[in-house]
Amino acid sequence: MTPAKQKAALQGVSTIATKIYEVVPIAEAWDSRRIAGALTQVTRAHETAVSLAQRCGVHRNTVAEHTAILEAALMGTRQRSGELDAAFARIDALLREAGIVTDETHEQAA
C-alpha cells in the first residue's frame, strides 16, 4: 500500500484504530490479547517518555519523533524487520545448532 493510500485509509478512524494498524503486522493473525499487550507496551513506553521529557523541559514532539525512530529500528516496520527480530533469529539459530532447541515436528517424524 502506498503512503498516500495508507493515509487515505486511516482518515477518520479513531486513534486506537490507528495505533492497532501501526502495531499489528498485516500478514499475521493476532488475537485480541496479543493486540492489547502490544498496544500497552507501545503506549506506556511512549507516554512515559513524553511525560519525562516535559518534566525536563524537552518539547513533546521531539520525544515523539525520536521514540518513533527508535521503535522502528528495534521493533521494525511492516516492510522491514527490526533489530530485535534479527537478534531473536540469530539466538534461535545458535540454540538449534547447539541442539538446545529442536523443531517439534522434526522430532515427531524421527
Side-chain angles (χ1 to χ4, degrees):
M1 182 181 291
T2 65
K5 286 183 181 179
Q6 185 179 25
K7 186 176 179 181
L10 293 176
Q11 280 184 332
V13 299
S14 67
T15 303
I16 193 70
T18 304
K19 286 185 180 185
I20 291 172
Y21 182 81
E22 292 170 355
V23 171
V24 178
I26 199 162
E28 295 179 22
W30 282 20
D31 64 12
S32 59
R33 279 188 275 152
R34 190 169 177 193
I35 293 170
L39 286 172
T40 300
Q41 287 179 333
V42 170
T43 304
R44 280 188 185 157
H46 183 73
E47 289 175 354
T48 302
V50 170
S51 64
L52 176 64
Q54 285 181 324
R55 286 189 286 131
C56 295
V58 178
H59 195 275
R60 67 181 294 124
N61 289 343
T62 302
V63 175
E65 289 171 13
H66 287 232
T67 301
I69 291 167
L70 289 171
E71 285 175 359
L74 292 174
M75 307 285 281
T77 63
R78 292 179 191 275
Q79 295 81 21
R80 186 180 64 82
S81 62
E83 293 300 321
L84 291 176
D85 293 330
F88 286 131
R90 179 68 178 141
I91 290 167
D92 185 56
L94 291 171
L95 291 173
R96 288 181 190 281
E97 285 175 14
I100 296 170
V101 174
T102 60
D103 190 357
E104 291 177 8
T105 56
H106 188 270
E107 278 183 6
Q108 292 173 356

